[in-house]
Amino acid sequence: MIICKQYEPKALQMLEFFQSWDPIALAIYHCPEMITILVIEDENSLQLLLKRLFGREGFKTFAAKNGSEGMQLAKSRRPDLIILDLGLPDVNGQYVISEIRKWSKVPIIAVSAFNDENTIVNILELGADAFLEKPFSLDELNARIRLFLRKKMIDNSSDLSLKLGDLKISNLDRKLHGPKGSISLSVFEYRVLSLLLTQPGKIFSHEELINEIWGPSYKHAIGSLRVSIWGIKNKIAEAGETRELISSIPKVGYSINPLVLA
């Protein structure tokens, strides 16, 4: 949780209480300079526009015009979130993501004028948290930023885990731990399974899952979703639970079977 140093202990307790409701709003109100965003973008007009937008929201912004400078700023400034243009003049945006992911879990929103399905799948597998196609809505960008920052501020360094029958899903290493061993989940598999577990028994439609996991710019990811579900079911079985924990509803979507969990 981000809190200014000058607060007394009692004030800190009150701030923690209110931040459980809306941590971003309280952090911006009390200590806006603590929230930093790094923009790696070579287009001057867009870079300036984003700086103005973030300034109005109370965020402190750093900017880089190429990938090399961006990676250096990411290490030195340790931002709370990164906006990354994939079409940089010096290095590929995918390379920037892979390098940053070697040492940081900072949320990365990738943007590009090219909506290529293979590229989107690749950058998300490398560790990007979202993709937006240019030109994108500033309202959508702002909403996604607040979502990622809220999650980042609520989370701490402890290993938060989810239960799935006899399995435990580790937040830190994205692994299924069960009677038969530990199995690693891919980025997509972990996101899909975590979302399904938020409401066991609820049927999540294909569109709902795709929108939440891949984003609204990636509307035709039904094949990728099916591959992720197939992989999750196999890994659940490998770890020591039944594949029937996940119910498939033809032409509709998927859900966690509460009867199997009981």
Side-chain angles (χ1 to χ4, degrees):
M1 182 169 58
I2 300 175
I3 301 174
C4 287
K5 295 179 181 179
Q6 68 264 29
Y7 285 106
E8 297 297 325
K10 288 185 178 180
L12 285 175
Q13 293 176 4
M14 289 298 294
L15 185 57
E16 287 180 4
F17 174 73
F18 285 116
Q19 281 187 323
S20 68
W21 293 349
D22 193 348
I24 297 300
L26 268 293
I28 293 171
Y29 178 78
H30 289 290
C31 198
E33 71 280 2
M34 295 294 286
I35 297 177
T36 59
I37 296 178
L38 171 61
V39 178
I40 307 176
E41 169 64 62
D42 64 323
E43 188 178 332
N44 290 331
S45 58
L46 180 55
Q47 189 182 110
L48 181 60
L49 178 63
L50 293 179
K51 280 185 176 181
R52 288 176 177 173
L53 170 68
F54 300 150
R56 289 198 303 268
E57 294 296 325
F59 304 139
K60 188 171 183 179
T61 308
F62 304 100
K65 293 184 177 181
N66 56 60
S68 300
E69 182 184 356
M71 288 185 288
Q72 291 176 0
L73 281 176
K75 276 195 173 182
S76 62
R77 300 287 188 173
R78 301 285 170 157
D80 295 295
L81 185 138
I82 296 175
I83 309 294
L84 171 66
D85 180 19
L86 296 178
L88 298 169
D90 58 341
V91 295
N92 190 294
Q94 298 176 50
Y95 173 76
V96 175
I97 295 171
S98 64
E99 288 298 301
I100 291 177
R101 280 292 172 260
K102 290 179 180 179
W103 57 269
S104 175
K105 293 183 179 180
V106 59
I108 299 175
I109 299 178
V111 300
S112 175
F114 301 99
N115 188 3
D116 176 69
E117 180 174 332
N118 291 331
T119 298
I120 296 172
V121 170
N122 190 35
I123 62 114
L124 292 175
E125 285 285 8
L126 285 172
D129 295 273
F131 171 81
L132 291 177
E133 182 181 3
K134 292 182 178 179
F136 48 80
S137 163
L138 293 181
D139 287 339
E140 180 182 358
L141 175 62
N142 193 24
R144 282 179 174 268
I145 287 173
R146 286 178 172 273
L147 175 66
F148 288 129
L149 291 179
R150 182 174 285 106
K151 183 171 183 281
K152 176 182 172 66
M153 292 172 69
I154 292 175
D155 287 347
N156 52 42
S157 59
S158 63
D159 185 6
L160 303 175
S161 60
L162 299 169
K163 290 288 291 180
L164 181 63
D166 291 332
L167 308 181
K168 185 183 81 168
I169 307 168
S170 172
N171 178 55
L172 290 182
D173 56 13
R174 295 200 312 270
K175 284 187 177 181
L176 283 173
H177 301 280
K180 293 185 178 180
S182 298
I183 310 294
S184 295
L185 296 168
S186 72
V187 173
F188 291 134
E189 290 168 349
Y190 175 78
R191 291 179 181 175
V192 171
L193 188 53
S194 298
L195 181 57
L196 290 174
L197 279 169
T198 59
Q199 298 183 63
K202 174 187 173 180
I203 299 174
F204 288 83
S205 70
H206 298 137
E207 293 76 14
E208 188 174 1
L209 287 166
I210 290 171
N211 186 59
E212 290 292 331
I213 306 303
W214 284 269
S217 298
Y218 195 49
K219 299 177 181 178
H220 307 292
I222 187 66
S224 298
L225 176 60
R226 286 171 178 159
V227 170
S228 294
I229 293 292
W230 181 82
I232 293 169
K233 286 186 173 185
N234 285 344
K235 290 177 180 180
I236 285 175
E238 288 181 49
E241 260 290 2
T242 172
R243 288 170 53 95
E244 303 309 315
L245 276 172
I246 297 180
S247 298
S248 300
I249 297 84
K251 299 183 180 180
V252 179
Y254 304 95
S255 71
I256 295 293
N257 190 335
L259 297 178
V260 179
L261 284 179

